[in-house]
Amino acid sequence: MNEIAIRTRDLVKIFKTRRGAINAVNGVTLQVQRGQTYGLIGPDGAGKTTTTRVILGLLRRTGGESSVLGYDSMKDTYAIRERVGYIAQQFALPGDLTVMENMRFFADIHQVDEETQRHRIPELLEFAGLSRFTKRLAGKLSGGMKKKLALACSLIHGPDVVMLDEPTLGVDPVSRREFWDLLGELRTEKGLTIFVCTPYMDEAERCNLIGLMYEGQLVAHDSPEKIKRLVPGQLLEFTPSHFAPAKERLAELEGVLEIQTYGRMIHVFVDHAARRQAEIIRALGDQGITCEGMREIEPRMEEAFISLIRKQQERARAASETAAARSPS
Amino acid sequence: MAFSRQRFRALIRKEFIQLLRDWRTLLSILLIPIVEMFLLAYAVNLTIDHIPMVVADLSQDDQSRALIHALVISGYFDVLQYVDSETEVIHAIDQGQARAGLVIPPGFATGVARGDAQALMMLDGSDSFTLQSGYGAALAIAQARSTELAMEKVSRSGITALGELPIFTSLRILYNPNMDGMVFMVPATAAMLLQVMTMGMTAMSVVREQEMGTLEQLLVTPARPMELILGKLVPNILVAAVDMVMVVLFGVYWFGVPFQGNPWLLGILSLLFIISGLGQGLLASSIAHTQREAGQMIAVLMMLANLLTGFIYPRTAAPLWVQLIGDLIPLTYFLRIIRGIFTKGIGVYFIWQDIAVLLLYSVVVMVLAAKSFKTRLD
Ligand SMILES: Nc1ncnc2c1ncn2[C@@H]1O[C@H](COP(=O)(O)OP(=O)(O)O)[C@@H](O)[C@H]1O
Ligand SMILES: [Mg+2]
């Protein structure tokens, strides 16, 4: 039994367009064990969808390796398709078929026999909370229900792995939570391997393992706890009375590692929270700036991600500067 | 090839459900050809009605009178005046009194009997509309009377040949002596319709799925390309066939165009043509990225088909290179087939070359389409 569900090595995908080549995936190496829930996290345009499509053999890969359950993405495409469920980023079930027609269609297309269909379809509809809507057109479902139907359809053939591309895009917070609860159920009860792409940092916390993706590369690939610990220092949160001067002054202070802003709120990483807290209040107070709600907080995925991306950008800038310096001009 | 009947059935069922559920589109698919036929019928009559014509009948026999009669009875031409010579005909057009002139040489009846009768038709070159419509009508009528019609364009500066070559029609088959536009147009409309429907429907439905993202969801299933292709084609074949039957029935019972040939032969050959059209649609869909692009490609092909295949304008009138382009469009062959079977009742013997080309075309297009059918998104 192959214990690795999804594996890529130095995966590269370059799109050739009229405006030039786009390096959508630029050397991604990742590994997902069976039964894990893997979150590929990153902002729009990071290359999540492209990575997923290449792994599934929906796009030709430009370089590197990729496989699912030991089957090569390019060579054993049909073996993969028989064993994997997929929800594309766009809601992509035929909207002019009813819920039941969609279920039956995907069951038949995966060659699920009549006998199995008879009990599995009602089970899945029940699981997805769609039992009452079997006659409704898929296009007329709410955003959350559409995604649940897509999930039910992707499970119809009893896959070992499901790959979900932004399954909670355009879904209200309550339905989002419900959807993730369904995924949790699948993991604990069926031992399903789940691969999720999402831009939402809070969803990352629901995964065993996450890959932070940015501009075609994995900036980090680890458990959520470890990724959060990658950012050095402790985190202070407060709302200054004068935003811009506060930010400026902070940057000059000793022990300040990184400053991030969230609306009118400032998150500042420091080497020692208790000591620096007092210093910051004093330094800003000297300039007549008051700090409201100053407290130490646990770094969240969001802070970690922003910090990691910044470092990546600095590295890239440094690299291009050395390259520029080296090239004779 | 791992062809699965369960998957194939599922794809066809899905296609049918979607077709029936989108009844507005279905209705327009079924009705547009009928509407188009009416438009053509009345447009034909409106545009080339009663073109004033002077006639120099130098033959004065039964056959020459019959030809003049046929031109008049068709409603396309009115005899303004009988004159005695070609010069007078030209003069009348030159003066703007007449838009058309007919010169029937002496000994016309003998010519008809021998099968090489000739008459000269002159059309006012300053009015391109009269020129085009009068030309088509006169030619069709002359064909019906087994007459070679030399056509010339007359303008103020004198006579210039129409097109690059003197125009002779080569058809010498006698049919419907009371030739009217619909005999010519009904089979052609049916043919054109099949071309538009098959190609258009297929290209559109594939590209639509591409645009909506449902194609991605389909491609990621174990469905094989051949199943996806056939799943798309079979329902479209059926709709096209229903449409075809409707047009033919309308043509026969409403417009009174007699069906002379073997309906089964026409049916089978139509199927062949349908398949070539569907193949073209698939090819178009693998090139086009959006429904808009697909629509534009279809529009261009339709325009070419309109002009170059003999749908309205007789191909023999066109320069050689134009004819060669027309040869690349399967409608060219099918038009000859359907007109032959429909209005002349001819059998395979007379059209086997067209059939062979169409068969070859279908096979090549289908193979190309299957090869270019995307199994991936890039
Ligand atoms: N079919 C395509 N052709 C050209 N460029 C593409 C294509 N698909 C994606 N891209 C580009 O690749 C990059 C990554 O896109 P994508 O994988 O969709 O990111 P994400 O899913 O993380 O938002 C983007 O810059 C996008 O514009
Ligand atoms: Mg995406």
Side-chain angles (χ1 to χ4, degrees):
Chain A
M1 201 67 192
N2 198 326
E3 280 310 308
I4 293 171
I6 301 171
R7 181 209 297 269
T8 73
R9 255 197 57 209
D10 302 323
L11 192 64
V12 174
K13 173 68 189 179
I14 298 173
F15 288 110
K16 298 225 164 45
T17 66
R18 261 171 250 154
R19 274 165 290 118
I22 298 176
N23 223 330
V25 179
N26 194 4
V28 165
T29 302
L30 60 79
Q31 224 174 69
V32 185
Q33 309 284 332
R34 266 179 184 266
Q36 274 185 330
T37 298
Y38 185 93
L40 191 59
I41 321 280
D44 280 348
K48 306 182 296 292
T49 300
T50 308
T51 305
T52 313
R53 284 175 171 171
V54 173
I55 290 174
L56 282 167
L58 277 170
L59 289 171
R60 223 179 291 279
R61 73 184 161 217
T62 313
E65 292 164 21
S66 56
S67 63
V68 180
L69 300 166
Y71 296 105
D72 184 83
S73 304
M74 300 295 124
K75 289 191 212 95
D76 313 315
T77 318
Y78 288 111
I80 293 178
R81 289 176 187 182
E82 279 159 21
R83 292 165 178 82
V84 176
Y86 172 57
I87 306 184
Q89 178 169 332
Q90 260 175 305
F91 173 73
L93 300 188
D96 41 7
L97 296 191
T98 64
V99 168
M100 186 51 109
E101 283 162 354
N102 260 299
M103 293 293 288
R104 292 196 54 104
F105 173 68
F106 282 97
D108 281 335
I109 218 134
H110 281 104
Q111 291 183 284
V112 179
D113 62 58
E114 278 292 322
E115 185 59 36
T116 318
Q117 284 192 30
R118 246 196 301 278
H119 67 259
R120 197 177 280 165
I121 290 179
E123 263 171 38
L124 281 170
L125 286 173
E126 183 65 38
F127 162 77
L130 290 168
S131 301
R132 289 188 296 124
F133 305 104
T134 51
K135 291 211 174 67
R136 191 173 296 187
L137 290 183
K140 295 248 152 65
L141 294 173
S142 72
M145 288 204 283
K146 277 182 188 169
K147 295 297 185 177
K148 286 179 195 162
L149 174 61
L151 182 64
C153 286
S154 74
L155 295 171
I156 190 81
H157 54 301
D160 300 314
V161 177
V162 286
M163 300 186 78
L164 316 173
D165 193 356
E166 302 200 19
T168 55
L169 188 75
V171 170
D172 68 86
V174 177
S175 306
R176 252 176 76 186
R177 180 177 299 269
E178 284 171 6
F179 190 88
W180 273 95
D181 288 342
L182 292 182
L183 292 185
E185 233 174 276
L186 289 174
R187 173 169 53 176
T188 48
E189 282 169 25
K190 301 230 170 77
L192 207 64
T193 310
I194 303 172
F195 181 100
V196 189
C197 300
T198 177
Y200 300 120
M201 299 298 159
D202 54 333
E203 295 187 343
E205 315 261 1
R206 296 256 205 165
C207 305
N208 309 117
L209 197 63
I210 53 182
L212 289 183
M213 193 160 190
Y214 182 70
E215 294 192 338
Q217 293 183 322
L218 278 192
V219 180
H221 176 63
D222 221 323
S223 70
E225 295 71 35
K226 287 213 181 109
I227 285 189
K228 278 185 277 186
R229 255 181 269 135
L230 282 178
V231 195
Q234 292 161 321
L235 184 59
L236 293 174
E237 177 192 87
F238 67 96
T239 311
S241 55
H242 305 282
F243 188 76
K247 226 181 121 189
E248 234 167 76
R249 182 76 186 95
L250 267 179
E252 300 160 6
L253 292 179
E254 205 188 319
V256 169
L257 304 171
E258 188 170 338
I259 305 164
Q260 296 179 3
T261 55
Y262 293 87
R264 307 287 308 161
M265 206 146 66
I266 287 184
H267 284 188
V268 52
F269 284 94
V270 291
D271 52 3
H272 191 286
R275 199 165 82 220
R276 302 298 177 195
Q277 182 167 349
E279 286 176 18
I280 289 173
I281 292 176
R282 198 174 327 117
L284 293 183
D286 286 348
Q287 303 203 332
I289 303 170
T290 56
C291 304
E292 205 174 300
M294 170 77 85
R295 62 188 180 123
E296 186 186 349
I297 56 168
E298 273 299 303
R300 295 171 308 163
M301 193 54 70
E302 201 153 344
E303 281 88 24
F305 191 39
I306 290 173
S307 171
L308 286 165
I309 285 182
R310 266 193 199 161
K311 282 188 191 120
Q312 171 88 4
Q313 282 172 329
E314 273 158 28
R315 266 201 302 278
R317 204 175 310 129
S320 70
E321 268 160 23
T322 16
R326 242 185 257 137
S327 70
S329 54
Chain B
M1 177 131 249
F3 193 90
S4 147
R5 290 190 25 207
Q6 188 180 5
R7 284 197 298 251
F8 181 53
R9 261 206 315 272
L11 285 163
I12 292 207
R13 193 184 303 131
K14 158 180 165 288
E15 225 42 59
F16 267 118
I17 294 174
Q18 292 180 308
L19 202 64
L20 293 177
R21 209 150 271 166
D22 188 8
W23 60 270
R24 281 193 197 87
T25 307
L26 184 63
L27 203 66
S28 68
I29 287 175
L30 292 175
L31 287 186
I32 281 175
I34 307 293
V35 171
E36 185 167 325
M37 211 154 63
F38 272 88
L39 283 179
L40 276 170
Y42 296 109
V44 163
N45 289 338
L46 281 177
T47 52
I48 56 173
D49 248 359
H50 306 287
I51 300 171
M53 172 175 73
V54 286
V55 178
D57 182 357
L58 308 178
S59 193
Q60 300 272 2
D61 53 34
D62 286 353
Q63 288 299 334
S64 71
R65 273 189 290 272
L67 175 61
I68 297 165
H69 185 65
L71 288 168
V72 172
I73 208 99
S74 72
Y76 300 138
F77 298 97
D78 283 343
V79 177
L80 196 71
Q81 198 187 346
Y82 285 95
V83 295
D84 296 327
S85 69
E86 191 177 326
T87 350
E88 283 173 75
V89 171
I90 295 170
H91 185 73
I93 298 177
D94 228 10
Q95 294 297 307
Q97 292 163 354
R99 288 267 173 72
L102 177 68
V103 182
I104 303 175
F108 187 69
T110 343
V112 172
R114 274 202 313 269
D116 62 357
Q118 274 206 19
L120 178 66
M121 185 88 201
M122 279 175 270
L123 292 160
D124 184 356
S126 61
D127 177 358
S128 66
F129 215 57
T130 307
L131 185 69
Q132 283 185 348
S133 40
Y135 170 67
L139 200 63
I141 292 161
Q143 278 175 14
R145 308 213 57 82
S146 59
T147 299
E148 276 188 333
L149 200 59
M151 296 260 189
E152 283 175 349
K153 183 166 77 174
V154 179
S155 57
R156 307 277 149 176
S157 55
I159 301 173
T160 47
L162 189 70
E164 288 176 357
L165 304 162
I167 294 132
F168 296 96
T169 75
S170 53
L171 276 174
R172 284 205 184 77
I173 300 154
L174 195 69
Y175 58 102
N176 188 3
N178 297 317
M179 172 78 187
D180 65 60
M182 290 320 280
V183 170
F184 197 64
M185 291 315 297
V186 164
T189 310
M192 182 57 119
L193 153 94
L194 278 193
Q195 173 84 69
V196 180
M197 294 265 312
T198 50
M199 178 175 167
M201 281 191 324
T202 311
M204 280 299 182
S205 74
V206 175
V207 176
R208 191 180 324 121
E209 292 220 32
Q210 214 164 298
E211 264 188 331
M212 293 195 320
T214 44
L215 194 67
E216 175 170 8
Q217 203 71 57
L218 274 185
L219 286 180
V220 85
T221 68
R224 302 301 197 268
M226 199 37 92
E227 295 161 357
L228 292 171
I229 290 178
L230 289 179
K232 275 266 169 259
L233 296 195
V234 170
N236 287 357
I237 288 178
L238 274 171
V239 175
V242 168
D243 237 347
M244 168 90 180
V245 169
M246 269 175 54
V247 168
V248 169
L249 289 180
F250 245 88
V252 172
Y253 291 106
W254 183 281
F255 291 104
V257 177
F259 191 96
Q260 310 280 13
N262 179 348
W264 296 111
L265 180 62
L266 183 62
I268 290 168
L269 294 176
S270 298
L271 206 59
L272 193 60
F273 181 62
I274 286 172
I275 290 169
S276 86
L278 296 173
Q280 290 171 68
L282 279 179
L283 269 182
S285 75
S286 66
I287 302 168
H289 295 290
T290 59
Q291 291 190 60
R292 223 178 104 102
E293 276 178 35
Q296 283 166 350
M297 284 174 64
I298 293 162
V300 168
L301 190 102
M302 284 310 112
M303 199 190 69
L304 292 178
N306 247 313
L307 298 174
L308 306 180
T309 59
F311 175 60
I312 293 176
Y313 308 112
R315 270 160 55 80
T316 40
L320 189 64
W321 65 270
V322 172
Q323 292 191 32
L324 287 177
I325 297 177
D327 284 343
L328 295 176
I329 307 176
L331 183 61
T332 302
Y333 306 94
F334 188 65
L335 270 175
R336 284 202 289 259
I337 293 175
I338 192 173
R339 280 186 176 140
I341 296 178
F342 203 120
T343 51
K344 297 175 217 163
I346 58 181
V348 176
Y349 181 76
F350 293 97
I351 40 175
W352 68 268
Q353 283 169 321
D354 289 323
I355 296 174
V357 174
L358 207 54
L359 189 65
L360 185 71
Y361 200 98
S362 304
V363 171
V364 170
V365 161
M366 270 320 215
V367 169
L368 282 181
K371 273 205 192 310
S372 66
F373 188 82
K374 287 176 220 152
T375 53
R376 298 185 207 281
L377 292 168
D378 55 354

